[in-house]
């Protein structure tokens, strides 16, 4: 691997970067934790500007960063705090649309390079969708470089007006919670017993209970396997505004689904699962899809966004919003152990093509060097 410098443009002191987070996305927060650890190990000074609760969850300080509490809002007070934190930065790196917009406001009038990473697409409907497009345009035009975690996001950034947009696939950090699960053969029956899935297939979905995550379609799809014997159990790990609606349907229709709320043991849940389900309307570089393939759990996912690029032929892909197709894919896989084994093997091969955390840090640092090194004398 080509070594990269961690020095400022003058070659005198360590490069100082500010990482800006909105605090609302687990994938981007985990990435910043991983990136911080790798940058600090390479001699880079890192300040993470994020809500206090994000630091409590991801321990940026423990990774060697200085943490500055910046609330998620874009009010003048938050922007002023962020502007002060960026005062002597060699480079600012913002993650996600709203954090990036705050960084643009905070850097107004300064020549500090701004790198923006789009981990996902900001989801919005109606009038808010127009507002989101305006924010995207403002951000990409101000950014020195836009890094997209998938080709779809890179293309979107270019269409929106980015002068320099590049693919920068984000590595999957270590297990959620930072602890490797215990021996799967011992753990699996324990988790299944806790969930009430002894002697029946266990299907696992993970994600915020929001409309674009496709959980209403998932509930519709359960009709396809309610006649199976034994009836598979679906568990959904996540919390959100749709909880009451989904729980009402589960109870009214007697659906074989359990809402687990927020969980910090996703690796353990996957260890116990027969299938992983991802019914979303949009996904970029889905953490669940990566975790499922790493854990050798067959995945049924919607053919949307960055999913086909991410999983290749290592998952069953179905159209979004089609409960029949989703239900049939699940029933077919549960009845075909050879197909499940094939997907497991393909998953391991596909996961081996993804970047490591070290490779991700090296790529990002090469972008930093490019933007902060002095131009050669002619």
């Amino acid at each position: 691997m080509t070594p990269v410098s961690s020095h400022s443009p003058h070659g005198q002191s360590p490069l100082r970067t500010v990482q800006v987070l909105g605090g609302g996305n687990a994938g981007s927060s985990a990435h910043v934790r991983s990136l911080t650890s790798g940058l600090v190990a390479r001699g880079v000074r890192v300040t993470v500007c994020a809500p206090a609760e994000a630091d409590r969850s991801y321990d940026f300080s423990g990774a060697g960063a200085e943490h500055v509490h910046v609330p998620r809002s874009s009010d003048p007070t938050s922007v002023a705090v962020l502007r002060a934190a960026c005062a002597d930065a060699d480079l600012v790196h913002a993650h996600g649309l709203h954090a990036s917009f705050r960084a643009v406001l905070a850097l107004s009038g300064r020549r500090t390079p701004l790198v923006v990473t789009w981990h996902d697409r900001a989801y919005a409907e109606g009038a808010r969708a127009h507002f989101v497009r305006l924010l995207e345009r403002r951000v990409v035009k101000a950014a020195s470089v836009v890094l997209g975690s998938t080709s779809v996001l890179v293309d979107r950034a270019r269409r929106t007006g980015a002068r320099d947009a590049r693919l920068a696939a984000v590595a999957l950090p270590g297990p959620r919670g930072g602890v490797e699960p215990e021996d799967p053969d011992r753990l699996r029956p324990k988790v299944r017993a806790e969930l009430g899935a002894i002697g029946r297939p266990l299907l696992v979905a993970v994600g915020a209970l929001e409309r674009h995550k496709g959980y209403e379609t998932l509930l519709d799809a359960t009709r396809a396997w309610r006649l199976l014997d034994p009836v598979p159990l679906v568990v959904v790990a996540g919390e959100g505004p749709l909880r009451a609606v989904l729980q009402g349907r589960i109870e009214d229709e007697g659906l074989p689904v359990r809402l687990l709320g927020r969980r910090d043991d996703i690796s353990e849940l996957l260890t116990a699962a027969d299938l992983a389900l991802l019914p979303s309307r949009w996904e970029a570089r889905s953490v669940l899809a990566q975790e499922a393939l790493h854990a050798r759990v067959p995945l049924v996912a919607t053919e949307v966004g960055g999913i086909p690029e991410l999983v290749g032929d290592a998952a069953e892909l179905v159209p979004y919003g089609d409960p029949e197709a989703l239900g049939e894919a699940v029933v077919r896989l549960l009845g075909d152990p050879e197909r499940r084994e094939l997907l497991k093997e393909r998953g391991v091969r596909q996961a081996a093509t993804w970047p490591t955390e070290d490779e991700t840090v090296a790529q990002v640092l090469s972008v930093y060097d490019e933007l902060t090194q002095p131009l050669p004398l002619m």
Side-chain angles (χ1 to χ4, degrees):
M1 186 178 298
T2 303
V4 287
S5 167
S6 63
H7 290 88
S8 71
H10 306 293
Q12 300 294 324
S13 58
L15 182 73
R16 178 173 183 257
T17 71
V18 175
Q19 307 289 324
V20 185
L21 264 173
N25 182 286
S28 58
S29 297
H31 170 61
V32 170
R33 175 60 163 79
S34 170
L35 188 58
T36 294
S37 181
L39 291 173
V40 169
R42 289 164 172 79
V44 178
R45 292 175 58 205
V46 179
T47 297
V48 176
C49 292
E53 57 268 25
D55 187 49
R56 284 194 294 271
S57 297
Y58 292 92
D59 192 21
F60 306 118
S61 306
E66 175 190 359
H67 172 252
V68 175
H69 170 61
V70 179
R72 295 187 63 188
S73 65
S74 293
D75 63 40
T77 303
S78 297
V79 173
V81 172
L82 183 56
R83 185 172 177 84
C86 296
D88 63 345
D90 295 307
L91 178 142
V92 174
H93 188 166
H95 301 262
L97 178 60
H98 295 288
S100 301
F101 181 64
R102 285 197 297 279
V104 169
L105 296 178
L107 293 176
S108 178
R110 295 179 178 172
R111 300 184 65 181
T112 309
L114 173 63
V115 177
V116 167
T117 291
W118 279 4
H119 297 266
D120 208 340
R121 191 183 80 182
Y123 185 79
E125 295 178 323
R128 182 166 170 73
H130 176 66
F131 175 67
V132 165
R133 285 194 295 272
L134 292 177
L135 287 187
E136 288 179 339
R137 192 170 298 120
R138 174 82 181 271
V139 165
V140 301
K141 289 187 174 181
S144 305
V145 175
V146 177
L147 302 177
S149 65
T150 70
S151 299
V152 174
L153 292 173
V154 173
D155 291 343
R156 183 179 179 88
R158 288 172 178 160
R159 290 196 307 270
T160 306
R163 48 187 157 162
D164 187 343
R166 312 178 191 181
L167 179 65
V170 173
L172 177 69
R176 300 192 197 187
V179 179
E180 293 284 351
E182 60 183 85
D183 176 31
D185 290 336
R186 293 182 57 191
L187 183 64
R188 183 180 171 90
K190 184 167 68 174
V191 175
R192 292 177 73 95
E194 177 215 326
L195 297 173
I198 296 294
R200 62 192 298 197
L202 177 64
L203 318 181
V204 173
V206 179
L209 305 184
E210 298 174 348
R211 198 163 301 280
H212 66 281
K213 288 296 187 178
Y215 290 123
E216 291 176 293
T217 300
L218 175 57
L219 296 190
D220 292 338
T222 63
R223 297 173 187 146
W225 59 77
R226 288 176 69 184
L227 297 179
L228 295 180
D229 185 18
V231 178
L233 173 66
V234 180
V235 296
V236 181
E239 196 54 83
L242 272 189
R243 184 181 182 96
V245 172
L246 298 176
Q247 188 62 48
R249 279 197 57 190
I250 291 167
E251 293 173 3
D252 293 345
E253 301 173 34
L255 303 178
V257 180
R258 282 189 60 192
L259 303 182
L260 303 180
R262 287 192 178 87
R263 301 280 294 225
D264 59 5
D265 60 345
I266 303 303
S267 297
E268 287 80 356
L269 291 178
L270 285 172
T271 295
D274 294 289
L275 300 178
L277 306 179
L278 189 63
S280 306
R281 180 175 182 176
W282 166 266
E283 290 284 346
R285 197 170 178 84
S286 165
V287 173
L288 175 65
Q290 295 175 78
E291 289 180 322
L293 268 58
H294 269 296
R296 293 175 53 85
V297 179
L299 173 70
V300 180
T302 42
E303 194 170 7
V304 299
I307 291 297
E309 176 183 18
L310 177 66
V311 304
D313 65 355
E316 293 285 351
L317 299 181
V318 299
Y320 167 73
D322 188 336
E324 289 78 19
L326 176 59
E328 289 169 6
V330 168
V331 171
R332 188 166 59 249
L333 267 183
L334 289 176
D336 190 344
E338 290 185 1
R339 175 69 178 169
R340 294 200 303 274
E341 285 301 315
L342 176 62
L343 289 179
K344 291 178 185 179
E345 296 306 318
R346 287 179 176 176
V348 171
R349 289 199 299 269
Q350 184 69 11
T353 69
W354 299 334
T356 64
E357 290 183 82
D358 191 61
E359 289 166 344
T360 296
V361 173
Q363 182 186 11
V364 169
L365 191 49
S366 72
V367 174
Y368 292 178
D369 274 358
E370 181 184 326
L371 295 174
T372 57
Q373 295 300 319
L375 294 173
L377 296 176
M378 299 301 290

